[in-house]
Each structure stands twice: as C-alpha cells, then as structure tokens.
Amino acid sequence: MLKLYIGNKNYSSWSMRPWVLLKQAGIVFEEVRVRFDSFDAQSEFKRTIGAVSPTAKVPVLVDGDLVVWDTLAIAEYVAETHSDKKLWPTDAKARARARSVCAEMHSGFTALRSHCPMNIEANLVDTGALIWRDQAGVRADVQRLVEMWSALLQEHGGPLLFGEFTVADAYFAPVCMRLHTYALPVPATIRAYVDRVRTLPGVQAWIDEALAEKDFLDFEEPYRLRHTEG
C-alpha cells in the first residue's frame, strides 16, 4: 500500500495536494501525519521526516522501497501507476497545459504564498483586507489566477479546470483555501470555482480533519498574533 507522509492539515499546503489527489481519485493509501513542532534541524519533525526523505520535508510518498518527494513528482508517479484514474487530461495539448499551470504554481505565486499562508480553521477577513490594500504582489498573483482559471473554465466548460477532476484541481486546492480564508476579492465565476473545489469529497475530508486538529502553532501564525496584539 502507498504511504503518504504529511504535516499538519491546517497549515501544510504542500501536503494537501497529493493527499487530495489520492483521496479524490479513490486510491487507497496509508497516511502518516508528522506534527510540525519546529523546523530546526534537531526537531522531532525534521528527525522523523529526515529518516524517510533526503529533503526532510513533507509530503513524501513511499511505495515499497521507492521514496518519492516533491509534489509534482508524486503527482506524476501516481498518475502513471494509476492510469485508469485519468489524473491528467487525456488530450495531449490539454495535458501539456495542465502540467504548465501546475509547474507555474509550483515555482510561482510567491507573494500570495508568503503573505497568505494556508490556515483552514481561521477567519482572516480583516487581515486579508490589509494584505490586499498593501501588497501589490498579492494583487498581481490573484489577477494571474483569475486570468488562468477563467480561460481554462471557459475552454473546457467546467465544472473544474479541465472539465473533470485532474491533478490541476488538487494542485490549486490550497490556493482555494487561501482565497476563502482571507476573503480576497475575485469575480463570481472564480468564487464559484473555489466553492466547487471546497465541496469535492476529497477536499472536504481534508478540511474536516484540519478543523478537528485544533493544534495552534504560533510560528505558523505570526500574522494572527500581530493582529491580536495590535
């Protein structure tokens, strides 16, 4: 059986991607949750993950004696070994486009990721309004998402980016969490896509379990501490 090592569901956007991919596709796997305590070299988290992966980061997929790290590599491996699930679009051009947008997410949108860390249980509307006012990079990242998603939804007719569920939807699920948590302004069509992703069974299962964690980590939430103290 596949074994997937992940971090805290409330915070770990990278862990969310392969977990949702596997869950939504109905692929059986064993979850190994390694709690974030800190990211120091001698932390329990680093010692545990470092014994499994050379990067000492989550997520990590283990299949027998094979260890796969990095979310894109995990997605490609799962798609290849479960080709019946059609996790990439079947059309070659659409498949190349899906890989392109996933790679763009993987290496880009740094302002959105930096200023709006994933925090599923929080309601950060006020924080989001300040970020939107003050951070031009976040506004630019969201505009790029709006352009990308709008084009894909129009081209493929929805309800998801390439029609049916693919790696791309799993890859952008944490972005949907951010847009919701921080209430960043997007057009109604994009808000509707966010809502559809949030109600996918695999995504809803992650959300439910994130809400059940109740594991507040101050080093993951400096923005909320500053807001509270102010």
Side-chain angles (χ1 to χ4, degrees), residues 2 8 15 18-19 27 31 33 58 60 74 80 85 89 91 122 125 155 157 171 178 189 192 201 206 212 216 224:
L2 296 174
N8 289 50
S15 297
W19 194 97
I27 298 170
E31 171 193 315
R33 178 180 171 274
V58 288
V60 182
I74 292 171
E80 286 182 4
K85 301 294 185 181
D91 176 77
V125 175
E155 180 178 350
Y171 224 80
R178 289 176 164 98
T189 54
W206 178 277
F216 174 77
R224 186 145 75 169

Side-chain angles (χ1 to χ4, degrees), residues 35-188:
R35 180 182 181 270
F36 292 156
D37 54 352
S38 80
F39 300 119
D40 294 335
Q42 298 307 312
S43 67
E44 184 66 23
F45 172 82
K46 284 294 187 181
R47 289 200 302 270
T48 301
I49 295 299
V52 179
S53 167
T55 64
K57 297 178 181 179
V58 288
V60 182
L61 184 73
V62 176
D63 186 8
D65 60 356
L66 174 67
V67 177
V68 186
W69 60 94
D70 187 276
T71 52
L72 273 178
I74 292 171
E76 290 286 9
Y77 180 73
V78 171
E80 286 182 4
T81 54
H82 295 80
S83 57
D84 58 308
K85 301 294 185 181
K86 297 183 171 64
L87 296 177
W88 290 113
T90 55
D91 176 77
K93 290 183 178 179
R95 191 162 59 250
R97 183 86 173 276
R99 287 190 166 108
S100 294
V101 299
C102 288
E104 183 178 351
M105 180 68 243
H106 194 270
S107 60
F109 299 97
T110 53
L112 179 63
R113 295 209 310 259
S114 174
H115 293 289
C116 301
M118 192 174 83
N119 190 333
I120 291 174
E121 66 84 23
N123 182 338
L124 297 172
V125 175
D126 292 342
T127 301
L130 294 175
I131 291 168
W132 188 259
R133 183 194 69 186
D134 297 338
Q135 300 298 333
V138 172
R139 297 195 298 272
D141 281 352
V142 171
Q143 180 58 35
R144 171 59 189 142
L145 284 169
V146 168
E147 293 169 356
M148 175 199 296
W149 291 356
S150 296
L152 292 172
L153 291 168
Q154 182 175 3
E155 180 178 350
H156 298 283
L160 300 177
L161 294 179
F162 291 87
E164 300 299 319
F165 175 79
T166 67
V167 172
D169 301 296
Y171 224 80
F172 284 105
V175 178
C176 293
M177 301 302 106
R178 289 176 164 98
L179 294 176
H180 177 80
T181 294
Y182 296 88
L184 301 181
V186 294

